[in-house]
Amino acid sequence: AMFRDAEVVAGYAGSALFTLAFCERPTRVIAIAPDAYTGRNEYGIASLWGHRLTSVWSRSEIALPEGGWTREAFWGPFTFDFEREGRYLAAVLADLGPA
């Protein structure tokens, strides 16, 4: 019921956001992920349900190789930079309007 009735769902990209499948009406979605995260599951679920997906990308500590993919980069750590993507996220949240 928590996801079915949500107006906004936000969190780290990955399996935790697969709960978007329980939002039966279009919902605003904010996903935070490292730039080495190549999964597109959130996009697929959002497309099926008509959700509005905003991605906030952080720099991975292990970069993907040029034109390639590695498990280490995909699962690697990243740091959310409040000066860089934090400003963007603040603008996205402000666009949501009053709580």
Side-chain angles (χ1 to χ4, degrees), residues 30-49:
I30 302 166
I32 299 171
D35 55 11
Y37 177 73
T38 57
R40 300 295 180 248
N41 303 301
E42 298 80 8
Y43 177 79
I45 295 169
S47 296
L48 277 171
W49 288 105

PDB file of all heavy atoms in Angstrom, residues 30-49:
ATOM      1  N   ILE A  30      12.718   9.284  -8.406  1.00  0.00           N
ATOM      2  CA  ILE A  30      14.061   9.856  -8.393  1.00  0.00           C
ATOM      3  C   ILE A  30      15.021   8.738  -8.012  1.00  0.00           C
ATOM      4  O   ILE A  30      14.892   8.147  -6.941  1.00  0.00           O
ATOM      5  CB  ILE A  30      14.163  11.014  -7.390  1.00  0.00           C
ATOM      6  CG1 ILE A  30      13.128  12.093  -7.737  1.00  0.00           C
ATOM      7  CG2 ILE A  30      15.572  11.583  -7.363  1.00  0.00           C
ATOM      8  CD1 ILE A  30      12.911  13.111  -6.646  1.00  0.00           C
ATOM      9  N   ALA A  31      15.944   8.433  -8.918  1.00  0.00           N
ATOM     10  CA  ALA A  31      16.906   7.351  -8.692  1.00  0.00           C
ATOM     11  C   ALA A  31      18.317   7.923  -8.630  1.00  0.00           C
ATOM     12  O   ALA A  31      18.730   8.673  -9.512  1.00  0.00           O
ATOM     13  CB  ALA A  31      16.815   6.320  -9.813  1.00  0.00           C
ATOM     14  N   ILE A  32      19.054   7.571  -7.590  1.00  0.00           N
ATOM     15  CA  ILE A  32      20.440   7.984  -7.429  1.00  0.00           C
ATOM     16  C   ILE A  32      21.319   6.773  -7.736  1.00  0.00           C
ATOM     17  O   ILE A  32      21.081   5.685  -7.200  1.00  0.00           O
ATOM     18  CB  ILE A  32      20.701   8.487  -6.001  1.00  0.00           C
ATOM     19  CG1 ILE A  32      19.815   9.701  -5.719  1.00  0.00           C
ATOM     20  CG2 ILE A  32      22.178   8.813  -5.794  1.00  0.00           C
ATOM     21  CD1 ILE A  32      19.831  10.151  -4.275  1.00  0.00           C
ATOM     22  N   ALA A  33      22.328   6.971  -8.599  1.00  0.00           N
ATOM     23  CA  ALA A  33      23.165   5.839  -9.004  1.00  0.00           C
ATOM     24  C   ALA A  33      24.552   6.318  -9.418  1.00  0.00           C
ATOM     25  O   ALA A  33      24.722   7.466  -9.819  1.00  0.00           O
ATOM     26  CB  ALA A  33      22.516   5.103 -10.170  1.00  0.00           C
ATOM     27  N   PRO A  34      25.533   5.411  -9.362  1.00  0.00           N
ATOM     28  CA  PRO A  34      26.850   5.743  -9.907  1.00  0.00           C
ATOM     29  C   PRO A  34      26.800   5.683 -11.427  1.00  0.00           C
ATOM     30  O   PRO A  34      25.975   4.969 -12.008  1.00  0.00           O
ATOM     31  CB  PRO A  34      27.741   4.640  -9.333  1.00  0.00           C
ATOM     32  CG  PRO A  34      26.827   3.493  -9.106  1.00  0.00           C
ATOM     33  CD  PRO A  34      25.501   4.095  -8.751  1.00  0.00           C
ATOM     34  N   ASP A  35      27.688   6.418 -12.082  1.00  0.00           N
ATOM     35  CA  ASP A  35      27.669   6.425 -13.542  1.00  0.00           C
ATOM     36  C   ASP A  35      28.096   5.087 -14.148  1.00  0.00           C
ATOM     37  O   ASP A  35      27.898   4.854 -15.330  1.00  0.00           O
ATOM     38  CB  ASP A  35      28.498   7.581 -14.102  1.00  0.00           C
ATOM     39  CG  ASP A  35      29.926   7.623 -13.603  1.00  0.00           C
ATOM     40  OD1 ASP A  35      30.390   6.655 -12.972  1.00  0.00           O
ATOM     41  OD2 ASP A  35      30.579   8.653 -13.842  1.00  0.00           O
ATOM     42  N   ALA A  36      28.630   4.171 -13.352  1.00  0.00           N
ATOM     43  CA  ALA A  36      28.967   2.835 -13.843  1.00  0.00           C
ATOM     44  C   ALA A  36      27.786   1.866 -13.715  1.00  0.00           C
ATOM     45  O   ALA A  36      27.883   0.718 -14.123  1.00  0.00           O
ATOM     46  CB  ALA A  36      30.178   2.274 -13.089  1.00  0.00           C
ATOM     47  N   TYR A  37      26.665   2.339 -13.170  1.00  0.00           N
ATOM     48  CA  TYR A  37      25.468   1.497 -13.053  1.00  0.00           C
ATOM     49  C   TYR A  37      24.798   1.453 -14.418  1.00  0.00           C
ATOM     50  O   TYR A  37      24.266   2.453 -14.899  1.00  0.00           O
ATOM     51  CB  TYR A  37      24.521   2.054 -11.997  1.00  0.00           C
ATOM     52  CG  TYR A  37      23.229   1.279 -11.863  1.00  0.00           C
ATOM     53  CD1 TYR A  37      23.219   0.032 -11.264  1.00  0.00           C
ATOM     54  CD2 TYR A  37      22.041   1.787 -12.344  1.00  0.00           C
ATOM     55  CE1 TYR A  37      22.041  -0.690 -11.139  1.00  0.00           C
ATOM     56  CE2 TYR A  37      20.852   1.082 -12.220  1.00  0.00           C
ATOM     57  CZ  TYR A  37      20.857  -0.157 -11.620  1.00  0.00           C
ATOM     58  OH  TYR A  37      19.693  -0.868 -11.501  1.00  0.00           O
ATOM     59  N   THR A  38      24.845   0.306 -15.061  1.00  0.00           N
ATOM     60  CA  THR A  38      24.296   0.177 -16.407  1.00  0.00           C
ATOM     61  C   THR A  38      22.947  -0.525 -16.433  1.00  0.00           C
ATOM     62  O   THR A  38      22.378  -0.723 -17.513  1.00  0.00           O
ATOM     63  CB  THR A  38      25.282  -0.590 -17.311  1.00  0.00           C
ATOM     64  OG1 THR A  38      25.549  -1.863 -16.716  1.00  0.00           O
ATOM     65  CG2 THR A  38      26.574   0.189 -17.493  1.00  0.00           C
ATOM     66  N   GLY A  39      22.422  -0.872 -15.267  1.00  0.00           N
ATOM     67  CA  GLY A  39      21.104  -1.491 -15.208  1.00  0.00           C
ATOM     68  C   GLY A  39      20.046  -0.518 -15.701  1.00  0.00           C
ATOM     69  O   GLY A  39      20.138   0.688 -15.472  1.00  0.00           O
ATOM     70  N   ARG A  40      19.058  -1.020 -16.375  1.00  0.00           N
ATOM     71  CA  ARG A  40      17.982  -0.165 -16.887  1.00  0.00           C
ATOM     72  C   ARG A  40      16.619  -0.642 -16.397  1.00  0.00           C
ATOM     73  O   ARG A  40      15.591  -0.349 -16.989  1.00  0.00           O
ATOM     74  CB  ARG A  40      18.005  -0.140 -18.420  1.00  0.00           C
ATOM     75  CG  ARG A  40      19.306   0.397 -18.990  1.00  0.00           C
ATOM     76  CD  ARG A  40      19.496   1.873 -18.622  1.00  0.00           C
ATOM     77  NE  ARG A  40      20.732   2.389 -19.170  1.00  0.00           N
ATOM     78  CZ  ARG A  40      21.771   2.747 -18.437  1.00  0.00           C
ATOM     79  NH1 ARG A  40      21.752   2.618 -17.136  1.00  0.00           N
ATOM     80  NH2 ARG A  40      22.850   3.229 -19.004  1.00  0.00           N
ATOM     81  N   ASN A  41      16.629  -1.374 -15.292  1.00  0.00           N
ATOM     82  CA  ASN A  41      15.393  -1.928 -14.763  1.00  0.00           C
ATOM     83  C   ASN A  41      14.415  -0.841 -14.341  1.00  0.00           C
ATOM     84  O   ASN A  41      13.217  -0.928 -14.609  1.00  0.00           O
ATOM     85  CB  ASN A  41      15.702  -2.837 -13.566  1.00  0.00           C
ATOM     86  CG  ASN A  41      16.660  -3.928 -13.947  1.00  0.00           C
ATOM     87  OD1 ASN A  41      16.381  -4.723 -14.831  1.00  0.00           O
ATOM     88  ND2 ASN A  41      17.813  -3.952 -13.316  1.00  0.00           N
ATOM     89  N   GLU A  42      14.917   0.203 -13.672  1.00  0.00           N
ATOM     90  CA  GLU A  42      14.051   1.292 -13.223  1.00  0.00           C
ATOM     91  C   GLU A  42      13.385   1.965 -14.423  1.00  0.00           C
ATOM     92  O   GLU A  42      12.213   2.307 -14.383  1.00  0.00           O
ATOM     93  CB  GLU A  42      14.850   2.326 -12.420  1.00  0.00           C
ATOM     94  CG  GLU A  42      15.471   1.786 -11.159  1.00  0.00           C
ATOM     95  CD  GLU A  42      16.770   1.023 -11.397  1.00  0.00           C
ATOM     96  OE1 GLU A  42      17.298   1.028 -12.518  1.00  0.00           O
ATOM     97  OE2 GLU A  42      17.252   0.399 -10.445  1.00  0.00           O
ATOM     98  N   TYR A  43      14.155   2.149 -15.493  1.00  0.00           N
ATOM     99  CA  TYR A  43      13.613   2.755 -16.707  1.00  0.00           C
ATOM    100  C   TYR A  43      12.508   1.875 -17.304  1.00  0.00           C
ATOM    101  O   TYR A  43      11.460   2.371 -17.713  1.00  0.00           O
ATOM    102  CB  TYR A  43      14.726   2.987 -17.734  1.00  0.00           C
ATOM    103  CG  TYR A  43      14.221   3.548 -19.034  1.00  0.00           C
ATOM    104  CD1 TYR A  43      13.926   4.895 -19.151  1.00  0.00           C
ATOM    105  CD2 TYR A  43      14.025   2.724 -20.135  1.00  0.00           C
ATOM    106  CE1 TYR A  43      13.447   5.417 -20.345  1.00  0.00           C
ATOM    107  CE2 TYR A  43      13.546   3.231 -21.326  1.00  0.00           C
ATOM    108  CZ  TYR A  43      13.259   4.577 -21.426  1.00  0.00           C
ATOM    109  OH  TYR A  43      12.781   5.081 -22.606  1.00  0.00           O
ATOM    110  N   GLY A  44      12.752   0.577 -17.341  1.00  0.00           N
ATOM    111  CA  GLY A  44      11.752  -0.347 -17.886  1.00  0.00           C
ATOM    112  C   GLY A  44      10.466  -0.342 -17.084  1.00  0.00           C
ATOM    113  O   GLY A  44       9.367  -0.275 -17.651  1.00  0.00           O
ATOM    114  N   ILE A  45      10.584  -0.397 -15.768  1.00  0.00           N
ATOM    115  CA  ILE A  45       9.390  -0.384 -14.910  1.00  0.00           C
ATOM    116  C   ILE A  45       8.667   0.951 -15.043  1.00  0.00           C
ATOM    117  O   ILE A  45       7.437   0.999 -15.170  1.00  0.00           O
ATOM    118  CB  ILE A  45       9.772  -0.666 -13.445  1.00  0.00           C
ATOM    119  CG1 ILE A  45      10.331  -2.080 -13.295  1.00  0.00           C
ATOM    120  CG2 ILE A  45       8.563  -0.466 -12.529  1.00  0.00           C
ATOM    121  CD1 ILE A  45      10.988  -2.357 -11.952  1.00  0.00           C
ATOM    122  N   ALA A  46       9.431   2.042 -15.039  1.00  0.00           N
ATOM    123  CA  ALA A  46       8.831   3.373 -15.174  1.00  0.00           C
ATOM    124  C   ALA A  46       8.098   3.502 -16.512  1.00  0.00           C
ATOM    125  O   ALA A  46       7.008   4.090 -16.583  1.00  0.00           O
ATOM    126  CB  ALA A  46       9.899   4.454 -15.039  1.00  0.00           C
ATOM    127  N   SER A  47       8.672   2.951 -17.557  1.00  0.00           N
ATOM    128  CA  SER A  47       8.042   3.017 -18.874  1.00  0.00           C
ATOM    129  C   SER A  47       6.719   2.262 -18.906  1.00  0.00           C
ATOM    130  O   SER A  47       5.746   2.715 -19.494  1.00  0.00           O
ATOM    131  CB  SER A  47       8.980   2.444 -19.939  1.00  0.00           C
ATOM    132  OG  SER A  47      10.136   3.226 -20.039  1.00  0.00           O
ATOM    133  N   LEU A  48       6.694   1.104 -18.279  1.00  0.00           N
ATOM    134  CA  LEU A  48       5.464   0.302 -18.252  1.00  0.00           C
ATOM    135  C   LEU A  48       4.317   1.007 -17.534  1.00  0.00           C
ATOM    136  O   LEU A  48       3.175   0.958 -17.973  1.00  0.00           O
ATOM    137  CB  LEU A  48       5.721  -1.039 -17.551  1.00  0.00           C
ATOM    138  CG  LEU A  48       6.324  -2.127 -18.408  1.00  0.00           C
ATOM    139  CD1 LEU A  48       6.726  -3.312 -17.541  1.00  0.00           C
ATOM    140  CD2 LEU A  48       5.337  -2.579 -19.464  1.00  0.00           C
ATOM    141  N   TRP A  49       4.621   1.667 -16.418  1.00  0.00           N
ATOM    142  CA  TRP A  49       3.590   2.287 -15.590  1.00  0.00           C
ATOM    143  C   TRP A  49       3.388   3.771 -15.881  1.00  0.00           C
ATOM    144  O   TRP A  49       2.507   4.400 -15.315  1.00  0.00           O
ATOM    145  CB  TRP A  49       3.917   2.105 -14.110  1.00  0.00           C
ATOM    146  CG  TRP A  49       3.729   0.702 -13.639  1.00  0.00           C
ATOM    147  CD1 TRP A  49       4.703  -0.209 -13.368  1.00  0.00           C
ATOM    148  CD2 TRP A  49       2.492   0.032 -13.391  1.00  0.00           C
ATOM    149  NE1 TRP A  49       4.153  -1.393 -12.968  1.00  0.00           N
ATOM    150  CE2 TRP A  49       2.795  -1.276 -12.970  1.00  0.00           C
ATOM    151  CE3 TRP A  49       1.157   0.411 -13.488  1.00  0.00           C
ATOM    152  CZ2 TRP A  49       1.812  -2.205 -12.648  1.00  0.00           C
ATOM    153  CZ3 TRP A  49       0.179  -0.518 -13.163  1.00  0.00           C
ATOM    154  CH2 TRP A  49       0.509  -1.812 -12.749  1.00  0.00           C
TER     155      TRP A  49
END
